[in-house]
Amino acid sequence: MPLALKSWQKNRRCFGKILKITFDFISEETSCEFGSNKYYALCGFGGLLSCGITHTAVVPLDLVKCRIQVQPEKYGGIIKGFKVSIKEGGALELTKGWAPTLIGYSMQGICKFGFYEVFKIFYGNLLGEENCFLWRTSLYLISSASAEFFADIALCPMEACKVRIQTQAGWSTTLREGFPRILKEEGVNGFYKGLVPLWCRQIPYTMMKFACFERTVEALYKYVVPKPRVECNKAEQLAVTFTAGYIAGVFCAIVSHPADTIVSKLNQAKGSNFMDIAKDLGFMGMWKGLFPRIIMIGTLTALQWFIYDSVKVYFRLPRPPPPEMPESLKRKMGV
């Protein structure tokens, strides 16, 4: 091969690498500063989309799950639950509760993801760089718990409407009818009587969801993915996000299921309280409907993280890589 041709091919390859590095740099430019108001607002918007869309998409499965929890003798398992529900009201029966689900979980998503970012940065600044790394799991847990506390206050009124629409035969079938009915019959307290069990269900769920996800992503990049995250393209990064989300979702469903069953029964029975429902159900009764919930929550959590991370990619938000030990800590530990 002529020397000139070899030189041209070599220069072309070098130029191609320069172009790739240049375009990668451009694509990695962020649209806002990490921790800015715009960053928090767009994270909240990502949470709105991720929770609102996914929970609404699985309303049929959620309806059957709730009915199994409150009337296990009638609806049995997941297959029988679908058959009985369709037989009673047709295919449209499975869409009951979609409106309060969409509104309630959209509001919850804003608070869950938006406040998580707020609290993670706030608590992280209090801990300092070295302690942030050493205590990162605790940081994920306390940040997510703090965010979910407020997220459930936003969700609770719509959750009360949804459960009654889905489980009480003869009750109002739409949010437009159900919301004023609860307000008239029970007052504002009727919307929030399930708040404590909702906290008991959602806070452990969210703590597991965020902490398990964050540590699973870290482990996947460290032990499974054959290259660092900075060398992965966006599609590969989102695939890791989806996988870690599904793994986290399975654990979330198991941890939060007993409280979820109590919430369903509590909103069905007037004048009941948390302890009375727990005693009536018994230990085994609290685990009714676990299998459909594992399917639902596993899929939900994976899709939520996928949508949330996709929103961050689309709006070019800062996406820090998995945490690494600070240089100062390496020197102290002799690493």
Side-chain angles (χ1 to χ4, degrees), residues 204-262:
Y205 161 84
T206 302
M207 292 170 73
M208 182 66 72
K209 173 179 180 175
F210 282 87
C212 185
F213 172 80
E214 299 269 23
R215 293 309 299 258
T216 303
V217 167
E218 187 179 334
L220 287 175
Y221 279 115
K222 187 174 182 180
Y223 300 110
V224 179
V225 180
K227 53 187 176 181
R229 199 192 81 162
V230 291
E231 297 178 13
C232 296
N233 59 39
K234 294 296 187 290
E236 291 169 336
Q237 291 179 21
L238 290 174
V240 171
T241 296
F242 184 86
T243 303
Y246 209 103
I247 293 170
V250 172
F251 289 100
C252 289
I254 296 170
V255 166
S256 61
H257 189 73
D260 181 67
T261 304
I262 292 173

Side-chain angles (χ1 to χ4, degrees), residues 42 44-45 48 53 124 128 139 181 197 206 238 253 297 333:
L42 289 174
F45 178 68
L48 180 151
I53 292 171
L139 175 63
R181 181 172 178 176
T206 302
L238 290 174
I297 296 300
M333 300 180 68

Side-chain angles (χ1 to χ4, degrees), residues 132-145:
C132 264
F133 178 80
L134 293 173
W135 297 94
R136 59 192 182 281
T137 302
S138 299
L139 175 63
Y140 305 146
L141 290 170
I142 188 63
S143 300
S144 56

